Amino acid sequence: MSHQPEPLSTKLQRGNLMAAACPSREVLRSMTSQWGVLVLMSLQQGTHRFSELRRRIGGVSERMLSETLKRLERHGLILRVAYPVVPPQTEYSLTPLGVEAARHVAGMADWIEVNLPEILQHRPQQA
Amino acid sequence: MSHQPEPLSTKLQRGNLMAAACPSREVLRSMTSQWGVLVLMSLQQGTHRFSELRRRIGGVSERMLSETLKRLERHGLILRVAYPVVPPQTEYSLTPLGVEAARHVAGMADWIEVNLPEILQHRPQQA
DNA sequence: TGTTGGTTCTTACTATTAGTGAGTATAGGG
DNA sequence: CCCTATACTCACTAATAGTAAGAACCAACA
């Protein structure tokens, strides 16, 4: 909270998603990946275990859930706490950064769910 | 426009993204696809031609841009107007539904760009 | 009069990623 | 003693993303 050495140089590094080489692209991809969105949404309701997330999120495989969680953890959006017990127990929760991220994706997700009927009307019905 | 047979049954079909088979999953994937996000963001500033979008969005190939635009059009989020001239000219813009969708993804995108420095600090620097 | 460039795509091919099914270690319950 | 549950990983296949080239057409330029 006190005086920091280089507050400006840090502040100036805002990402630019339009630039192909900007690392923000990677963050975008993990936050907006199919399973990433659903994990963030699920963790909005509090801490969950691996298997709870798996049951809650219809259609995730264990492999994809595991990789999605690892990626979100690498970006500091979720916190992983593993208890060395048998059978294994691991708890996942949102970090403060993750709480903000989850608000955005959940807002979008909610909009999709609400507007789904209208969106589907624009789609040509398949033969 | 007159009295419709089943207005309630349509209204009641709110999507559920947690369900694997719900069509909202497909909408989520097109809205949150890497190029989908960047297209929606770009079109927030108004109508653009294909090649303008291609130049603006760093790293898109023509194939991916074309497919992304088609998918967003299928979901009623963008409008495509092709003029039968030579050389070809096509204009893309947001539909009212697309304007709302774009607001959500742009909000998220902005958050990512602003918080990128903090997010990157959580990442282990690579060897 | 070639030839180059610009436009909006599509097609064929390759690389990357997603998804599937099985395996692992351990303990508690029937 | 075998089955289930947990949180994974590994080997494999299917799907998707990315690359490079071409197509159709004309305008401008040398």
Side-chain angles (χ1 to χ4, degrees), chain A residues 38-56:
Chain A
L38 302 178
V39 163
L40 289 172
M41 281 174 66
S42 297
L43 291 181
Q44 268 195 318
Q45 277 127 39
T47 299
H48 285 287
R49 299 181 58 168
F50 185 89
S51 52
E52 287 170 346
L53 290 170
R54 174 139 161 68
R55 276 188 290 268
R56 172 184 278 259

Side-chain angles (χ1 to χ4, degrees), chain B residues 49 51 55 62-63 66 70 80 87-88 90 92:
Chain B
R49 298 181 58 168
S51 53
R55 277 188 290 267
E62 297 184 341
R63 188 175 93 85
S66 174
K70 261 190 262 178
R80 178 181 178 273
T90 318
Y92 294 94

Side-chain angles (χ1 to χ4, degrees), chain A residues 4-15, chain B residues 112-122:
Chain A
Q4 256 145 21
E6 33 191 308
L8 278 179
S9 69
T10 308
K11 271 287 174 206
L12 287 174
Q13 280 173 350
R14 186 193 212 265
Chain B
I112 291 174
E113 289 185 343
V114 168
N115 290 273
L116 182 65
E118 193 175 349
I119 291 168
L120 289 182
Q121 281 171 11
H122 285 271

